Amino acid sequence: LILTPEQLDQCRDYFINLNSQEAQTSQYLPLLALLDHSRKSHPDLQAPLIHVLKNREEPELLVHCLSCCLKVIVGECERKGDRIPFSLLEALKIPLKHSNLEVLEWTLRVIEQTGNQSILLKDNVREVRLKPWPLFNKHKKNIIALKEFLEKRWNPAPQARK
């Protein structure tokens, strides 16, 4: 899906309007799906996405917003060779404390995709403690795997000397 700059401007304005109205989750979902499937992004979409991460608690909205953050913010920064905005890294601390496992998993996925900048959230990730949910919960398994991956990135095994 390719959106024109004018369409991206309209998406941004609509997103800002939804945030100002504290709209229902169902009103955000079509916009987030559109942005998630768009080939292009718009730097002005970062602030509305971060606003949702900081100010909303609905699991479905946060999961879709985090998915969008991967493409709109993290993917765009990778493409341009820019650093991940500190405002996103700070905002990720909030859903990292969410009680919903799917929100927690998606938050860790975004953190994992921030690359070396994930070290800025190391203490916050280490604070994540899973309650004794069912052992076979797919989100719990993914959360454990993502935490282990991040720990290995932050603390690489020492290389053997030759």
Side-chain angles (χ1 to χ4, degrees):
L1 179 65
I2 300 174
L3 297 175
T4 66
E6 295 79 22
Q7 290 171 322
L8 287 166
D9 285 340
Q10 289 174 343
C11 288
R12 179 207 56 221
D13 294 343
Y14 183 63
F15 206 153
I16 291 169
N17 186 39
L18 289 175
N19 282 343
S20 68
Q21 296 176 12
E22 295 184 16
Q24 299 269 332
T25 296
S26 60
Q27 293 176 279
Y28 281 92
L29 297 182
L31 174 62
L32 291 172
L34 182 72
L35 296 176
D36 201 23
H37 290 89
S38 173
R39 281 190 174 175
K40 291 189 176 183
S41 183
H42 193 301
D44 292 341
L45 290 167
Q46 292 181 8
L49 284 166
I50 291 169
H51 177 85
V52 170
L53 294 179
K54 287 182 173 181
N55 297 294
R56 301 298 290 261
E57 293 185 10
E58 304 93 314
E60 185 179 17
L61 177 58
L62 288 173
V63 166
H64 287 280
C65 184
L66 287 160
S67 175
C68 231
C69 284
L70 272 175
K71 185 157 195 177
V72 172
I73 300 175
V74 177
E76 193 67 12
C77 287
E78 277 181 11
R79 190 179 70 73
K80 290 182 175 180
D82 293 339
R83 293 179 62 87
I84 305 298
F86 190 71
S87 56
L88 174 63
L89 297 172
E90 281 296 306
L92 288 171
K93 293 177 182 179
I94 297 168
L96 200 52
K97 297 176 182 176
H98 204 281
S99 61
N100 182 281
L101 287 176
E102 191 173 10
V103 171
L104 183 55
E105 177 186 345
W106 273 96
T107 305
L108 288 169
R109 288 186 185 286
V110 175
I111 291 169
E112 186 268 325
Q113 289 296 311
T114 64
N116 291 335
Q117 287 183 265
S118 67
I119 194 103
L120 298 172
L121 297 168
K122 179 167 83 171
D123 293 338
N124 303 88
V125 170
R126 286 182 173 165
E127 288 175 8
V128 171
R129 300 284 182 251
L130 297 176
K131 294 177 182 163
W133 284 296
L135 181 62
F136 299 108
N137 182 300
K138 69 177 182 177
H139 298 298
K140 183 177 178 184
K141 287 180 183 179
N142 291 339
I143 290 165
I144 291 168
L146 286 163
K147 283 184 69 174
E148 288 172 355
F149 178 82
L150 288 166
E151 283 294 336
K152 286 178 184 173
R153 176 185 288 160
W154 299 326
N155 301 311
Q159 296 190 2
R161 293 185 177 199
K162 293 182 178 182

